[in-house]
Amino acid sequence: MKNTVEIRWHGRGGQGAKTAALLLADVCFSTGKYVQGFPEYGPERMGAPITAYNRIGNEAIRVHSNIYEPDYVVVVDETLLESQDVTAGLSEEGALVVNSAGSLEEIKKHLRGYRGRVVVVDARRISVAALGKYFPNSPMLAAIVAISGVIDRETFLREMEASYRHKFAKKPDVIEGNMRALRMVFDEIKE
């Protein structure tokens, strides 16, 4: 069994997939894990498809390439299910986590025969309820942590709060809203 968890993120520019991957790397690094978090995208423009990656392990990570056989895949924008093979290389022992208000049955119709675990998270509803606006990255970040177990819930929440306090020191509403969104996801994950 390999010692590294590999995660691939699919999103569109401006949705925060890259930021979520980098936040996950930061949080895991702060707990002593070895990490990589990096994006891949072409011409940078709002709405263009982007891919980001995480490697998280307890030993030094010596490989430096994109991830072609991920343990987990996060889809921040469900419209990408139509245009990209988001399950390419995905282990059936892992999971696909999709941001959607649709049902699991609706999502599975677009997965090109993938037979592994699929988890649907309505990041829009959670984000609007917690933050008053649609920012899918915090809910999807909490979802992949909950599904993958790369870091335990309480440590994750503590480290994320510290990160938010540093980044949004003068915006307490943003901190509280993001923390509320993270907690809501842990409570509402559905399969």
Side-chain angles (χ1 to χ4, degrees), residues 160-170 172 175-176:
M160 284 304 299
E161 185 168 8
S163 177
Y164 289 147
R165 288 199 182 287
H166 175 73
K167 290 178 175 121
F168 303 114
K170 296 182 180 180
I175 298 165
E176 292 169 19

Side-chain angles (χ1 to χ4, degrees), residues 38-181:
F38 56 97
E40 170 193 42
Y41 41 86
E44 296 179 36
R45 66 182 199 276
M46 193 73 85
I50 69 109
T51 308
Y53 304 92
N54 285 112
R55 285 192 179 91
I56 302 163
N58 294 319
E59 299 173 4
I61 301 170
R62 306 242 183 262
V63 64
H64 297 280
S65 68
N66 291 347
I67 296 171
Y68 300 103
E69 295 181 349
D71 301 297
Y72 301 94
V73 169
V74 181
V75 179
V76 180
D77 186 322
E78 72 178 308
T79 65
L80 294 171
L81 296 175
E82 295 292 326
S83 62
Q84 296 185 352
D85 185 3
V86 299
T87 61
L90 177 58
S91 166
E92 290 191 2
E93 285 77 45
L96 175 69
V97 183
V98 180
N99 172 17
S100 178
S103 70
L104 183 59
E105 293 73 29
E106 290 173 42
I107 296 301
K108 285 186 174 182
K109 292 176 187 175
H110 304 284
L111 301 185
R112 304 176 190 203
Y114 178 71
R115 299 184 194 282
R117 184 176 179 200
V118 179
V119 179
V120 178
V121 176
D122 188 349
R124 178 180 298 277
R125 181 185 54 75
I126 291 168
S127 151
V128 169
L131 291 156
K133 294 181 181 178
Y134 180 46
F135 296 109
N137 59 341
S138 284
M140 297 309 289
L141 175 56
I144 193 58
V145 168
I147 299 303
S148 69
V150 293
I151 184 171
D152 72 86
R153 175 186 171 147
E154 293 311 313
T155 303
F156 170 72
L157 291 173
R158 182 182 67 243
E159 294 298 325
M160 284 304 299
E161 185 168 8
S163 177
Y164 289 147
R165 288 199 182 287
H166 175 73
K167 290 178 175 121
F168 303 114
K170 296 182 180 180
K171 298 180 180 180
D173 291 350
V174 173
I175 298 165
E176 292 169 19
N178 275 290
M179 292 306 298
R180 192 169 31 256

